[in-house]
Amino acid sequence: MSSFAGITLLAEGDLSPSTADDVDAGTDYGYHLLVVQDYLLTKELTPSGRGICSRAFVVGGHTWYIEYYPNGESSKCADYISLHVSVLDNDEDYQKTVKAKVCVSLIDQVEKHKPMYIRGTGTRTFGGYAFMRLDKFMKKDVLEESVNLKGNCLTIRCDIMVLNTDDDDANGDEVLPPDVRHQFNSLLQNKVGADVTFEVSGETFVAHRCVLAARSTVFMAQLFGPMKEGTTRSAIIQIKDMEAKVFKALLSFIYTDSFPEMEEEDKAQVVEKGQEEDEMRLQWLQDLLVAADRYDVQGLKFICEKQFSERLGVSSVMSTLALAEQHRCWWLKGACFKYLQVQPP
């Protein structure tokens, strides 16, 4: 259970003195809230490349802080909000390293304090002044048109789970084993015991029937029920009307329950074609949402809905509403209507 590690209040472009003291979560898993009041004024007063540091907070015996860049950490990402998450211990602890999982999310409701809402996540080894960089955390114009900015106020939640430090090995303490997501991902990658084969856009994928059936009612029916395809386990199931990279991402989520990011080669291709990163991201979300709806993978579908809602804009809300209607995304449909209600005529 995550423990509360305090609140930082940024007001009028600086750290509020009332939230300047350190807060200790007292456990290895804690979360800190960064509240940005006067968002527009802070953006106006803070040039690109300049960050505002949160109050320090302690998780797992290590001191952490968040650096908030209202206009990006550099001119290359001036259209974005950037975030740095850093560990900064005492001088005598400078050479020590700590491995931690860091999750960052935009929140405005208590029910959003769940892993499925997390925007940025990663496991890093921190040491000295090493930090986790989210240089394009969210585009400013998208945030300003979204439901996450309320009353000119923005709230960011940072969850930190300390996994181990280099002292653990020295003291002979047992290092935490890989979690179940890593184990199932290894199962998918090494193909041991795989007993079903799919062909998608000319590419072949192998998987485990029981895993797919446990995670998807459609796969359950397709592999074990009335929709069962093929008469033998050696039969190849053809998947039509889906790109191979999308099916690969769907399998990844089914095995790991982690949101699949775009592959680097896809991003490079988009840059070559001169497409906007937001267009690329929206297309990726749409492909994943369609696949999740097709195979009834509700966790992935809901994450896609949430990320669509964070990117609502005047030019995209109607197409998003149509997508939500087509794929029975009632939560996203409601978010679209809420967005339209607050827009000027």
Side-chain angles (χ1 to χ4, degrees), residues 276-333:
E276 289 289 337
E277 184 176 349
D278 286 344
E279 294 178 9
M280 171 188 68
R281 181 72 176 181
L282 288 174
Q283 184 60 54
W284 178 243
L285 287 175
Q286 179 173 326
D287 292 342
L288 289 178
L289 187 148
V290 171
D293 182 53
R294 178 174 172 177
Y295 286 96
D296 192 27
V297 182
Q298 291 299 319
L300 178 58
K301 182 178 177 181
F302 192 74
I303 294 174
C304 291
E305 288 186 59
K306 177 60 172 60
Q307 295 206 16
F308 262 116
S309 74
E310 293 174 351
R311 290 168 171 78
L312 288 176
V314 174
S315 61
S316 64
V317 64
M318 296 310 297
S319 60
T320 301
L321 181 59
L323 181 70
E325 181 71 30
Q326 181 181 359
H327 294 282
R328 303 176 298 280
C329 303
W330 311 129
W331 188 91
L332 179 58
K333 185 177 178 180

Short mmCIF file of all heavy atoms in Angstrom, two decimals, residues 276-333:
data_model
loop_
_atom_site.label_atom_id
_atom_site.label_comp_id
_atom_site.label_asym_id
_atom_site.label_seq_id
_atom_site.Cartn_x
_atom_site.Cartn_y
_atom_site.Cartn_z
N GLU A 276 3.33 15.01 -37.19
CA GLU A 276 3.40 15.49 -35.82
C GLU A 276 3.39 14.31 -34.85
O GLU A 276 2.74 13.29 -35.09
CB GLU A 276 2.21 16.40 -35.52
CG GLU A 276 2.28 17.75 -36.22
CD GLU A 276 3.36 18.65 -35.65
OE1 GLU A 276 3.74 18.43 -34.48
OE2 GLU A 276 3.80 19.55 -36.36
N GLU A 277 4.11 14.46 -33.76
CA GLU A 277 4.16 13.38 -32.76
C GLU A 277 2.78 13.11 -32.17
O GLU A 277 2.43 11.96 -31.91
CB GLU A 277 5.13 13.76 -31.65
CG GLU A 277 5.31 12.66 -30.61
CD GLU A 277 6.35 13.02 -29.57
OE1 GLU A 277 7.06 14.02 -29.77
OE2 GLU A 277 6.43 12.31 -28.55
N ASP A 278 1.97 14.17 -32.00
CA ASP A 278 0.64 13.97 -31.43
C ASP A 278 -0.24 13.15 -32.38
O ASP A 278 -1.02 12.31 -31.93
CB ASP A 278 -0.03 15.32 -31.16
CG ASP A 278 0.58 16.01 -29.96
OD1 ASP A 278 1.27 15.33 -29.17
OD2 ASP A 278 0.38 17.22 -29.80
N GLU A 279 -0.12 13.39 -33.68
CA GLU A 279 -0.89 12.61 -34.65
C GLU A 279 -0.50 11.14 -34.57
O GLU A 279 -1.35 10.25 -34.62
CB GLU A 279 -0.65 13.14 -36.06
CG GLU A 279 -1.18 14.54 -36.31
CD GLU A 279 -0.86 15.01 -37.71
OE1 GLU A 279 -0.38 14.20 -38.52
OE2 GLU A 279 -1.09 16.20 -38.01
N MET A 280 0.79 10.89 -34.49
CA MET A 280 1.30 9.53 -34.38
C MET A 280 0.76 8.87 -33.11
O MET A 280 0.33 7.70 -33.14
CB MET A 280 2.83 9.57 -34.35
CG MET A 280 3.51 8.26 -34.02
SD MET A 280 5.30 8.48 -33.81
CE MET A 280 5.34 9.44 -32.29
N ARG A 281 0.78 9.59 -32.01
CA ARG A 281 0.33 9.05 -30.74
C ARG A 281 -1.16 8.73 -30.78
O ARG A 281 -1.60 7.67 -30.31
CB ARG A 281 0.61 10.06 -29.64
CG ARG A 281 0.21 9.60 -28.23
CD ARG A 281 1.13 8.54 -27.74
NE ARG A 281 0.82 8.16 -26.36
CZ ARG A 281 1.49 7.25 -25.69
NH1 ARG A 281 2.52 6.64 -26.23
NH2 ARG A 281 1.15 6.95 -24.45
N LEU A 282 -1.96 9.63 -31.35
CA LEU A 282 -3.40 9.41 -31.42
C LEU A 282 -3.73 8.21 -32.30
O LEU A 282 -4.64 7.44 -31.98
CB LEU A 282 -4.10 10.67 -31.95
CG LEU A 282 -4.16 11.85 -30.98
CD1 LEU A 282 -4.74 13.07 -31.66
CD2 LEU A 282 -4.99 11.50 -29.74
N GLN A 283 -3.01 8.05 -33.40
CA GLN A 283 -3.25 6.89 -34.27
C GLN A 283 -2.90 5.60 -33.55
O GLN A 283 -3.60 4.59 -33.67
CB GLN A 283 -2.43 7.02 -35.55
CG GLN A 283 -2.69 5.91 -36.57
CD GLN A 283 -4.14 5.86 -37.02
OE1 GLN A 283 -4.69 6.88 -37.47
NE2 GLN A 283 -4.77 4.71 -36.90
N TRP A 284 -1.80 5.63 -32.78
CA TRP A 284 -1.40 4.45 -32.01
C TRP A 284 -2.47 4.10 -30.96
O TRP A 284 -2.84 2.93 -30.80
CB TRP A 284 -0.06 4.73 -31.34
CG TRP A 284 0.48 3.63 -30.48
CD1 TRP A 284 0.71 3.68 -29.13
CD2 TRP A 284 0.87 2.32 -30.89
NE1 TRP A 284 1.22 2.49 -28.69
CE2 TRP A 284 1.33 1.63 -29.74
CE3 TRP A 284 0.88 1.65 -32.11
CZ2 TRP A 284 1.79 0.32 -29.78
CZ3 TRP A 284 1.34 0.35 -32.15
CH2 TRP A 284 1.79 -0.31 -31.00
N LEU A 285 -2.97 5.11 -30.27
CA LEU A 285 -4.01 4.88 -29.28
C LEU A 285 -5.27 4.32 -29.93
O LEU A 285 -5.92 3.41 -29.39
CB LEU A 285 -4.35 6.18 -28.55
CG LEU A 285 -3.33 6.70 -27.54
CD1 LEU A 285 -3.77 8.05 -27.00
CD2 LEU A 285 -3.15 5.71 -26.40
N GLN A 286 -5.62 4.84 -31.10
CA GLN A 286 -6.81 4.36 -31.79
C GLN A 286 -6.65 2.89 -32.20
O GLN A 286 -7.56 2.09 -32.01
CB GLN A 286 -7.10 5.20 -33.03
CG GLN A 286 -8.32 4.73 -33.83
CD GLN A 286 -8.69 5.67 -34.95
OE1 GLN A 286 -8.52 6.88 -34.82
NE2 GLN A 286 -9.17 5.13 -36.05
N ASP A 287 -5.49 2.54 -32.74
CA ASP A 287 -5.23 1.15 -33.14
C ASP A 287 -5.32 0.21 -31.94
O ASP A 287 -5.90 -0.89 -32.02
CB ASP A 287 -3.86 1.03 -33.80
CG ASP A 287 -3.79 1.73 -35.15
OD1 ASP A 287 -4.86 2.00 -35.73
OD2 ASP A 287 -2.67 2.02 -35.60
N LEU A 288 -4.75 0.63 -30.81
CA LEU A 288 -4.78 -0.20 -29.61
C LEU A 288 -6.20 -0.33 -29.06
O LEU A 288 -6.62 -1.41 -28.62
CB LEU A 288 -3.86 0.37 -28.54
CG LEU A 288 -2.36 0.28 -28.78
CD1 LEU A 288 -1.60 0.93 -27.63
CD2 LEU A 288 -1.90 -1.17 -28.95
N LEU A 289 -6.94 0.78 -29.08
CA LEU A 289 -8.31 0.74 -28.56
C LEU A 289 -9.17 -0.20 -29.41
O LEU A 289 -9.96 -0.98 -28.86
CB LEU A 289 -8.89 2.16 -28.55
CG LEU A 289 -10.25 2.31 -27.87
CD1 LEU A 289 -10.37 3.69 -27.22
CD2 LEU A 289 -11.40 2.13 -28.86
N VAL A 290 -9.04 -0.12 -30.73
CA VAL A 290 -9.82 -0.99 -31.62
C VAL A 290 -9.47 -2.46 -31.36
O VAL A 290 -10.35 -3.32 -31.28
CB VAL A 290 -9.56 -0.63 -33.09
CG1 VAL A 290 -10.20 -1.67 -34.03
CG2 VAL A 290 -10.11 0.76 -33.40
N ALA A 291 -8.18 -2.75 -31.19
CA ALA A 291 -7.75 -4.12 -30.92
C ALA A 291 -8.27 -4.59 -29.56
O ALA A 291 -8.73 -5.74 -29.42
CB ALA A 291 -6.23 -4.22 -30.97
N ALA A 292 -8.19 -3.72 -28.56
CA ALA A 292 -8.66 -4.08 -27.22
C ALA A 292 -10.15 -4.35 -27.21
O ALA A 292 -10.63 -5.28 -26.54
CB ALA A 292 -8.31 -2.97 -26.23
N ASP A 293 -10.91 -3.55 -27.95
CA ASP A 293 -12.35 -3.76 -28.04
C ASP A 293 -12.67 -5.05 -28.79
O ASP A 293 -13.56 -5.81 -28.40
CB ASP A 293 -13.01 -2.57 -28.73
CG ASP A 293 -14.52 -2.71 -28.82
OD1 ASP A 293 -15.15 -2.94 -27.77
OD2 ASP A 293 -15.07 -2.60 -29.93
N ARG A 294 -11.93 -5.31 -29.84
CA ARG A 294 -12.15 -6.51 -30.65
C ARG A 294 -11.95 -7.79 -29.84
O ARG A 294 -12.70 -8.76 -30.02
CB ARG A 294 -11.19 -6.48 -31.85
CG ARG A 294 -11.25 -7.69 -32.76
CD ARG A 294 -10.37 -7.45 -33.97
NE ARG A 294 -10.23 -8.62 -34.82
CZ ARG A 294 -9.56 -8.64 -35.97
NH1 ARG A 294 -8.97 -7.54 -36.40
NH2 ARG A 294 -9.48 -9.74 -36.69
N TYR A 295 -10.97 -7.79 -28.94
CA TYR A 295 -10.67 -8.99 -28.16
C TYR A 295 -11.10 -8.87 -26.69
O TYR A 295 -10.73 -9.70 -25.88
CB TYR A 295 -9.17 -9.32 -28.26
CG TYR A 295 -8.83 -9.90 -29.61
CD1 TYR A 295 -8.33 -9.09 -30.63
CD2 TYR A 295 -9.06 -11.25 -29.88
CE1 TYR A 295 -8.06 -9.62 -31.89
CE2 TYR A 295 -8.79 -11.78 -31.13
CZ TYR A 295 -8.29 -10.96 -32.13
OH TYR A 295 -8.02 -11.49 -33.37
N ASP A 296 -11.86 -7.84 -26.39
CA ASP A 296 -12.41 -7.65 -25.05
C ASP A 296 -11.32 -7.67 -23.97
O ASP A 296 -11.42 -8.36 -22.96
CB ASP A 296 -13.46 -8.74 -24.75
CG ASP A 296 -14.27 -8.43 -23.49
OD1 ASP A 296 -14.41 -7.23 -23.16
OD2 ASP A 296 -14.73 -9.38 -22.82
N VAL A 297 -10.28 -6.88 -24.21
CA VAL A 297 -9.22 -6.69 -23.21
C VAL A 297 -9.52 -5.36 -22.53
O VAL A 297 -9.05 -4.29 -22.96
CB VAL A 297 -7.82 -6.71 -23.86
CG1 VAL A 297 -6.74 -6.57 -22.80
CG2 VAL A 297 -7.63 -8.00 -24.65
N GLN A 298 -10.32 -5.41 -21.48
CA GLN A 298 -10.89 -4.20 -20.90
C GLN A 298 -9.84 -3.28 -20.27
O GLN A 298 -9.98 -2.06 -20.32
CB GLN A 298 -11.96 -4.58 -19.87
CG GLN A 298 -13.20 -5.19 -20.48
CD GLN A 298 -13.91 -4.25 -21.43
OE1 GLN A 298 -14.03 -3.06 -21.17
NE2 GLN A 298 -14.38 -4.79 -22.55
N GLY A 299 -8.80 -3.85 -19.67
CA GLY A 299 -7.77 -3.01 -19.05
C GLY A 299 -7.09 -2.11 -20.06
O GLY A 299 -6.94 -0.90 -19.85
N LEU A 300 -6.69 -2.67 -21.19
CA LEU A 300 -6.04 -1.89 -22.25
C LEU A 300 -7.01 -0.87 -22.83
O LEU A 300 -6.65 0.28 -23.10
CB LEU A 300 -5.52 -2.82 -23.34
CG LEU A 300 -4.85 -2.14 -24.54
CD1 LEU A 300 -3.68 -1.29 -24.11
CD2 LEU A 300 -4.40 -3.20 -25.56
N LYS A 301 -8.24 -1.28 -23.03
CA LYS A 301 -9.25 -0.38 -23.59
C LYS A 301 -9.45 0.84 -22.70
O LYS A 301 -9.51 1.98 -23.18
CB LYS A 301 -10.56 -1.14 -23.78
CG LYS A 301 -11.68 -0.31 -24.42
CD LYS A 301 -12.93 -1.16 -24.61
CE LYS A 301 -14.07 -0.33 -25.19
NZ LYS A 301 -15.30 -1.13 -25.36
N PHE A 302 -9.48 0.62 -21.39
CA PHE A 302 -9.73 1.72 -20.48
C PHE A 302 -8.54 2.68 -20.43
O PHE A 302 -8.72 3.90 -20.35
CB PHE A 302 -10.04 1.19 -19.09
CG PHE A 302 -10.59 2.25 -18.17
CD1 PHE A 302 -11.88 2.70 -18.31
CD2 PHE A 302 -9.79 2.81 -17.19
CE1 PHE A 302 -12.39 3.69 -17.49
CE2 PHE A 302 -10.28 3.78 -16.36
CZ PHE A 302 -11.59 4.23 -16.50
N ILE A 303 -7.32 2.15 -20.48
CA ILE A 303 -6.15 3.02 -20.50
C ILE A 303 -6.17 3.89 -21.76
O ILE A 303 -5.86 5.08 -21.70
CB ILE A 303 -4.86 2.19 -20.44
CG1 ILE A 303 -4.74 1.47 -19.10
CG2 ILE A 303 -3.63 3.08 -20.63
CD1 ILE A 303 -3.57 0.52 -19.00
N CYS A 304 -6.53 3.30 -22.90
CA CYS A 304 -6.62 4.07 -24.15
C CYS A 304 -7.67 5.17 -24.02
O CYS A 304 -7.45 6.31 -24.45
CB CYS A 304 -6.95 3.15 -25.31
SG CYS A 304 -5.64 2.00 -25.77
N GLU A 305 -8.81 4.83 -23.43
CA GLU A 305 -9.85 5.84 -23.23
C GLU A 305 -9.32 6.99 -22.38
O GLU A 305 -9.54 8.18 -22.69
CB GLU A 305 -11.06 5.22 -22.53
CG GLU A 305 -11.87 4.28 -23.38
CD GLU A 305 -13.14 3.83 -22.67
OE1 GLU A 305 -13.95 4.71 -22.30
OE2 GLU A 305 -13.31 2.61 -22.47
N LYS A 306 -8.62 6.66 -21.30
CA LYS A 306 -8.08 7.69 -20.41
C LYS A 306 -7.09 8.58 -21.14
O LYS A 306 -7.12 9.81 -21.00
CB LYS A 306 -7.42 7.02 -19.20
CG LYS A 306 -6.77 7.99 -18.23
CD LYS A 306 -7.79 8.96 -17.65
CE LYS A 306 -7.19 9.80 -16.54
NZ LYS A 306 -6.05 10.60 -16.98
N GLN A 307 -6.20 7.99 -21.92
CA GLN A 307 -5.20 8.78 -22.61
C GLN A 307 -5.84 9.63 -23.72
O GLN A 307 -5.39 10.75 -23.98
CB GLN A 307 -4.10 7.88 -23.17
CG GLN A 307 -3.30 7.19 -22.07
CD GLN A 307 -1.90 6.83 -22.49
OE1 GLN A 307 -1.38 7.32 -23.49
NE2 GLN A 307 -1.26 5.97 -21.72
N PHE A 308 -6.87 9.12 -24.36
CA PHE A 308 -7.62 9.94 -25.32
C PHE A 308 -8.23 11.15 -24.62
O PHE A 308 -8.20 12.27 -25.15
CB PHE A 308 -8.73 9.11 -25.99
CG PHE A 308 -8.37 8.57 -27.34
CD1 PHE A 308 -8.29 7.21 -27.56
CD2 PHE A 308 -8.11 9.42 -28.41
CE1 PHE A 308 -7.96 6.70 -28.81
CE2 PHE A 308 -7.78 8.93 -29.66
CZ PHE A 308 -7.70 7.56 -29.86
N SER A 309 -8.79 10.95 -23.44
CA SER A 309 -9.44 12.04 -22.72
C SER A 309 -8.45 13.14 -22.37
O SER A 309 -8.82 14.32 -22.30
CB SER A 309 -10.13 11.51 -21.46
OG SER A 309 -9.19 11.19 -20.45
N GLU A 310 -7.20 12.78 -22.12
CA GLU A 310 -6.17 13.76 -21.77
C GLU A 310 -5.70 14.55 -22.98
O GLU A 310 -5.03 15.57 -22.83
CB GLU A 310 -4.99 13.06 -21.10
CG GLU A 310 -5.32 12.46 -19.75
CD GLU A 310 -4.18 11.64 -19.18
OE1 GLU A 310 -3.20 11.41 -19.92
OE2 GLU A 310 -4.27 11.21 -18.01
N ARG A 311 -6.05 14.07 -24.17
CA ARG A 311 -5.60 14.73 -25.40
C ARG A 311 -6.75 15.37 -26.17
O ARG A 311 -6.61 15.69 -27.35
CB ARG A 311 -4.87 13.71 -26.29
CG ARG A 311 -3.53 13.28 -25.72
CD ARG A 311 -2.96 12.08 -26.44
NE ARG A 311 -1.60 11.82 -26.02
CZ ARG A 311 -1.26 11.22 -24.89
NH1 ARG A 311 -2.21 10.80 -24.06
NH2 ARG A 311 0.01 11.03 -24.56
N LEU A 312 -7.89 15.53 -25.52
CA LEU A 312 -9.03 16.14 -26.19
C LEU A 312 -8.71 17.59 -26.57
O LEU A 312 -8.15 18.34 -25.79
CB LEU A 312 -10.26 16.11 -25.28
CG LEU A 312 -10.92 14.74 -25.08
CD1 LEU A 312 -12.06 14.86 -24.08
CD2 LEU A 312 -11.41 14.17 -26.39
N GLY A 313 -9.09 17.95 -27.78
CA GLY A 313 -8.90 19.30 -28.27
C GLY A 313 -10.06 19.67 -29.17
O GLY A 313 -10.87 18.82 -29.56
N VAL A 314 -10.14 20.94 -29.51
CA VAL A 314 -11.24 21.41 -30.35
C VAL A 314 -11.28 20.66 -31.68
O VAL A 314 -12.34 20.32 -32.19
CB VAL A 314 -11.11 22.93 -30.59
CG1 VAL A 314 -12.15 23.41 -31.57
CG2 VAL A 314 -11.24 23.69 -29.28
N SER A 315 -10.11 20.38 -32.23
CA SER A 315 -10.06 19.75 -33.55
C SER A 315 -10.26 18.24 -33.50
O SER A 315 -10.51 17.62 -34.53
CB SER A 315 -8.71 20.05 -34.22
OG SER A 315 -7.65 19.53 -33.44
N SER A 316 -10.16 17.64 -32.31
CA SER A 316 -10.22 16.18 -32.23
C SER A 316 -11.40 15.63 -31.46
O SER A 316 -11.66 14.43 -31.51
CB SER A 316 -8.93 15.64 -31.58
OG SER A 316 -8.83 16.09 -30.23
N VAL A 317 -12.14 16.48 -30.75
CA VAL A 317 -13.17 15.97 -29.85
C VAL A 317 -14.28 15.24 -30.60
O VAL A 317 -14.78 14.21 -30.13
CB VAL A 317 -13.74 17.11 -28.97
CG1 VAL A 317 -14.45 18.16 -29.82
CG2 VAL A 317 -14.68 16.54 -27.91
N MET A 318 -14.69 15.72 -31.78
CA MET A 318 -15.79 15.08 -32.50
C MET A 318 -15.38 13.72 -33.06
O MET A 318 -16.14 12.76 -33.01
CB MET A 318 -16.30 15.99 -33.61
CG MET A 318 -16.91 17.30 -33.11
SD MET A 318 -18.13 17.06 -31.78
CE MET A 318 -19.38 16.11 -32.63
N SER A 319 -14.17 13.63 -33.59
CA SER A 319 -13.70 12.33 -34.09
C SER A 319 -13.53 11.34 -32.94
O SER A 319 -13.81 10.15 -33.07
CB SER A 319 -12.39 12.49 -34.86
OG SER A 319 -11.38 13.03 -34.04
N THR A 320 -13.07 11.85 -31.77
CA THR A 320 -12.93 10.99 -30.60
C THR A 320 -14.29 10.52 -30.11
O THR A 320 -14.47 9.36 -29.72
CB THR A 320 -12.20 11.74 -29.47
OG1 THR A 320 -10.91 12.15 -29.92
CG2 THR A 320 -12.03 10.85 -28.25
N LEU A 321 -15.27 11.41 -30.15
CA LEU A 321 -16.63 11.05 -29.75
C LEU A 321 -17.19 9.96 -30.66
O LEU A 321 -17.84 9.01 -30.19
CB LEU A 321 -17.53 12.29 -29.78
CG LEU A 321 -18.99 12.11 -29.35
CD1 LEU A 321 -19.06 11.57 -27.93
CD2 LEU A 321 -19.74 13.42 -29.47
N ALA A 322 -16.94 10.09 -31.96
CA ALA A 322 -17.41 9.07 -32.91
C ALA A 322 -16.73 7.72 -32.65
O ALA A 322 -17.38 6.67 -32.71
CB ALA A 322 -17.13 9.53 -34.34
N LEU A 323 -15.43 7.77 -32.34
CA LEU A 323 -14.69 6.54 -32.02
C LEU A 323 -15.26 5.89 -30.76
O LEU A 323 -15.45 4.67 -30.70
CB LEU A 323 -13.22 6.87 -31.83
CG LEU A 323 -12.28 5.69 -31.53
CD1 LEU A 323 -12.12 4.79 -32.75
CD2 LEU A 323 -10.91 6.21 -31.08
N ALA A 324 -15.55 6.72 -29.75
CA ALA A 324 -16.10 6.21 -28.50
C ALA A 324 -17.46 5.56 -28.72
O ALA A 324 -17.77 4.51 -28.14
CB ALA A 324 -16.21 7.34 -27.49
N GLU A 325 -18.27 6.17 -29.54
CA GLU A 325 -19.60 5.62 -29.84
C GLU A 325 -19.48 4.30 -30.59
O GLU A 325 -20.18 3.32 -30.28
CB GLU A 325 -20.40 6.62 -30.68
CG GLU A 325 -21.79 6.18 -31.04
CD GLU A 325 -22.73 6.17 -29.84
OE1 GLU A 325 -22.52 7.00 -28.93
OE2 GLU A 325 -23.66 5.34 -29.82
N GLN A 326 -18.58 4.23 -31.54
CA GLN A 326 -18.42 3.02 -32.37
C GLN A 326 -17.96 1.83 -31.56
O GLN A 326 -18.37 0.69 -31.81
CB GLN A 326 -17.43 3.31 -33.50
CG GLN A 326 -17.20 2.13 -34.43
CD GLN A 326 -16.19 2.45 -35.52
OE1 GLN A 326 -15.66 3.56 -35.59
NE2 GLN A 326 -15.92 1.47 -36.37
N HIS A 327 -17.08 2.08 -30.55
CA HIS A 327 -16.49 0.98 -29.80
C HIS A 327 -17.01 0.89 -28.36
O HIS A 327 -16.36 0.29 -27.51
CB HIS A 327 -14.96 1.09 -29.83
CG HIS A 327 -14.39 0.91 -31.19
ND1 HIS A 327 -14.23 -0.33 -31.78
CD2 HIS A 327 -13.98 1.83 -32.12
CE1 HIS A 327 -13.73 -0.17 -33.00
NE2 HIS A 327 -13.56 1.12 -33.22
N ARG A 328 -18.15 1.51 -28.11
CA ARG A 328 -18.84 1.40 -26.83
C ARG A 328 -17.94 1.82 -25.65
O ARG A 328 -17.85 1.15 -24.63
CB ARG A 328 -19.33 -0.05 -26.62
CG ARG A 328 -20.25 -0.53 -27.73
CD ARG A 328 -20.63 -1.98 -27.57
NE ARG A 328 -19.45 -2.84 -27.62
CZ ARG A 328 -18.84 -3.21 -28.76
NH1 ARG A 328 -19.30 -2.78 -29.92
NH2 ARG A 328 -17.78 -4.00 -28.74
N CYS A 329 -17.29 2.95 -25.83
CA CYS A 329 -16.41 3.51 -24.80
C CYS A 329 -17.20 4.56 -24.02
O CYS A 329 -17.08 5.77 -24.29
CB CYS A 329 -15.15 4.11 -25.41
SG CYS A 329 -14.18 2.97 -26.42
N TRP A 330 -18.01 4.12 -23.09
CA TRP A 330 -18.94 5.04 -22.43
C TRP A 330 -18.21 6.06 -21.56
O TRP A 330 -18.64 7.21 -21.45
CB TRP A 330 -19.95 4.24 -21.62
CG TRP A 330 -20.57 3.11 -22.38
CD1 TRP A 330 -20.67 1.81 -21.98
CD2 TRP A 330 -21.16 3.16 -23.69
NE1 TRP A 330 -21.27 1.05 -22.95
CE2 TRP A 330 -21.58 1.84 -24.01
CE3 TRP A 330 -21.36 4.16 -24.63
CZ2 TRP A 330 -22.19 1.52 -25.21
CZ3 TRP A 330 -21.95 3.85 -25.84
CH2 TRP A 330 -22.38 2.55 -26.12
N TRP A 331 -17.11 5.65 -20.92
CA TRP A 331 -16.35 6.60 -20.09
C TRP A 331 -15.77 7.71 -20.96
O TRP A 331 -15.84 8.89 -20.63
CB TRP A 331 -15.25 5.87 -19.34
CG TRP A 331 -14.56 6.72 -18.33
CD1 TRP A 331 -14.88 6.87 -17.01
CD2 TRP A 331 -13.42 7.56 -18.55
NE1 TRP A 331 -14.01 7.75 -16.40
CE2 TRP A 331 -13.12 8.19 -17.32
CE3 TRP A 331 -12.64 7.85 -19.67
CZ2 TRP A 331 -12.06 9.08 -17.19
CZ3 TRP A 331 -11.58 8.76 -19.53
CH2 TRP A 331 -11.31 9.36 -18.30
N LEU A 332 -15.18 7.34 -22.10
CA LEU A 332 -14.60 8.34 -23.01
C LEU A 332 -15.68 9.22 -23.62
O LEU A 332 -15.48 10.43 -23.79
CB LEU A 332 -13.81 7.63 -24.12
CG LEU A 332 -13.16 8.52 -25.17
CD1 LEU A 332 -12.20 9.52 -24.52
CD2 LEU A 332 -12.41 7.67 -26.20
N LYS A 333 -16.81 8.63 -23.91
CA LYS A 333 -17.93 9.41 -24.46
C LYS A 333 -18.36 10.48 -23.46
O LYS A 333 -18.59 11.64 -23.83
CB LYS A 333 -19.10 8.48 -24.78
CG LYS A 333 -20.28 9.15 -25.46
CD LYS A 333 -21.35 8.13 -25.80
CE LYS A 333 -22.56 8.80 -26.42
NZ LYS A 333 -23.62 7.81 -26.78
#
